[in-house]
Structures are given as C-alpha cells and as structure tokens.
Amino acid sequence: MRTAHHLVVGILALLLTLTLVGIRPAQAQTWNQVVADTFSRSVTSGWGDLPTGGKYTMIKSSVVPASVANGTGNLGNLTEGRRFIAMLPPTLDDVRAASSVTITAPTGTDLFHTWRVRDTGNGSWYAITYRTNPSGEVILSVSRVVDNKSYWVHGVNLPYRVASGHTLNLEVEVTGTSPVTVLARAWQAGTTPPDWQLKATDKHASRLTAPGLVGLDDFIGIASSALTLNYDNILVQTPVATSAPTATAPAPAP
C-alpha cells in the first residue's frame, strides 16, 4: 500500500513533468460580481435602484404589488395566469446567477420560477425553471425560447419540494456557444447546497449564442388562491477573463 508520503511525491512529480513539457494544470474559473442585491432599502412601489447602478425593468399585472421592505423584494397577489418579470440591466453572454425566494403558496400551486439568461429582447432566451406542479412533482429544467416559442432542452425531477413559507435557493450557469452548457441547482435554505442537479448541453442549430439580459420570471399556472414571493440575495456574475498560459520550453537534457 502506498504511503501518504509516496502519494505526495507522486503528485509533485506529475506537476513538475507537466511544467517541463509546457502544460500547466487547469485552474478553476473565477467570477466577477456584476449585480448583488440584498434589498437593504425601502421602496413602496417597485424594487427601486440596484446597489450597483441601474434599475429593474418590471413587467407585471397592475394588481400584483411590488415593494421592498424588511430586507426583501416583495410580490403579492400572484394567482392563476399572472406573471411577474424583473429584468436586470447588464448584457452578458457567459453568466452565473443566483437568488433566494421565500414562497408562501397554497397547496397545489403550479409555479414556474425561472431565471432568464441571454434574453436578447426579441422573444428569445434560455429559461432555467424550478416548477412545482399540482400533482406534487418538482422539475428543474432548461428550455430554449425562440420567437416566443419554447423548446425543451433537458429536465430532471427533484426528490423534494420547498414547503410553503420556506426559502428556495436557485443557482444557474450558462456558458459557451458551441455547444451552450447549462448548469442549475435548487435547494432549501439552511441545507447543504447540492452538486449541479441539471447538466445540459445545447448543440441545436437555433441555440442562443448572443449576449443578452438576465432576469427573473415567475408565472402561476394553477392556484386556488393568491401567493406571495419574497426575494433576497440576487447575484449575477460573469467570468473573469484570463490570458492564455505561456508555453514553457522543456528543460535541456543534462
């Protein structure tokens, strides 16, 4: 059996070999914060200004009140057929986005809770959705929306749903162009974040490669009564550009 000492020596030898032949070990991607909103303000109508500049662009029914109070961005009176959309100002291609939302909902609500990514404003975007349907299923999925028509890319069933009054964390990542890679995960606040639960690649000819806006989209398919959403910790990041590593010439033979 190899000892820990032999294992460490082996790893160091491998790293030295890679360096001598001009290959450097891969480095983890780092991300630059573009938007971070913890809702530490008070706004009676709408969500107001973002801490990093700019405003949310909201599309919603007039009967859906939006405000900021008690450290959350609040929505009320969401019921069957009503939709709330809040778009963020940055135009991005590769992006990682995350949010927390406390959902107070009646039993059997058909909720589509979505991050929109690469929304070009012409009816096209990626929709990464956490859905709870009336039958009790919970589905995490990604769809490609082109000319306002939705095309299924991939989805997975989750083994749990966040109970009414609890907080859901949703994190998504969209990178690349050929193919486009989509990652997502959803979990209840206070529990250990899981690995990526949804892993999808989009190689279709109509895949979305252009930069676009990022935003939140909530739609209620079926609900016996109105529900409320309380948002917090909205975060949008983009990869930090890194220069290509410089090849190192092999060391001369002794």
Side-chain angles (χ1 to χ4, degrees), residues 140-163:
L140 187 61
S141 68
V142 56
S143 297
R144 180 193 331 106
V145 181
V146 179
D147 295 331
N148 291 307
K149 295 180 181 179
S150 183
Y151 301 90
W152 180 268
V153 177
H154 186 55
V156 294
N157 286 86
L158 300 184
Y160 59 85
R161 72 187 301 162
V162 174

Side-chain angles (χ1 to χ4, degrees), residues 54-76:
K55 293 185 176 183
Y56 292 95
T57 299
M58 289 190 172
I59 304 169
K60 66 180 184 63
S61 168
S62 60
V63 298
V64 176
S67 64
V68 179
N70 304 315
T72 56
N74 308 312
L75 302 171

Side-chain angles (χ1 to χ4, degrees), residues 57 59 83-88 90 92-93 95-99 112-130 141-143 145 148 170 172-174 182 208 212-219 231 235-236:
T57 299
I59 304 169
R83 175 174 245 123
F84 164 81
I85 300 171
M87 301 304 298
L88 296 156
L92 304 168
D93 44 16
V95 65
R96 177 179 284 180
S99 61
F112 296 76
H113 172 57
T114 298
W115 268 105
R116 291 189 181 201
V117 177
R118 295 187 182 177
D119 188 332
T120 55
N122 62 355
S124 298
W125 64 87
Y126 280 111
I128 301 101
T129 301
Y130 170 92
S141 68
V142 56
S143 297
V145 181
N148 291 307
L170 178 61
V172 306
E173 184 179 304
V174 178
V182 180
L208 307 177
L213 298 177
V214 180
L216 296 156
D217 183 339
D218 288 287
F219 176 74
Y231 273 99
L235 178 67
V236 178

Side-chain angles (χ1 to χ4, degrees), residues 164-233:
S164 178
H166 291 234
T167 299
L168 168 74
N169 295 323
L170 178 61
E171 184 176 0
V172 306
E173 184 179 304
V174 178
T175 56
T177 57
S178 185
V180 177
T181 300
V182 180
L183 303 172
R185 57 183 173 179
W187 70 100
Q188 183 170 304
T191 65
T192 302
D195 292 333
W196 295 112
Q197 298 154 318
L198 173 72
K199 300 178 182 179
T201 54
D202 188 8
K203 301 178 182 179
H204 195 274
S206 62
R207 66 187 180 276
L208 307 177
T209 59
L213 298 177
V214 180
L216 296 156
D217 183 339
D218 288 287
F219 176 74
I220 310 301
I222 299 172
S224 57
S225 58
L227 72 154
T228 62
L229 301 177
N230 304 103
Y231 273 99
D232 199 3
N233 300 319

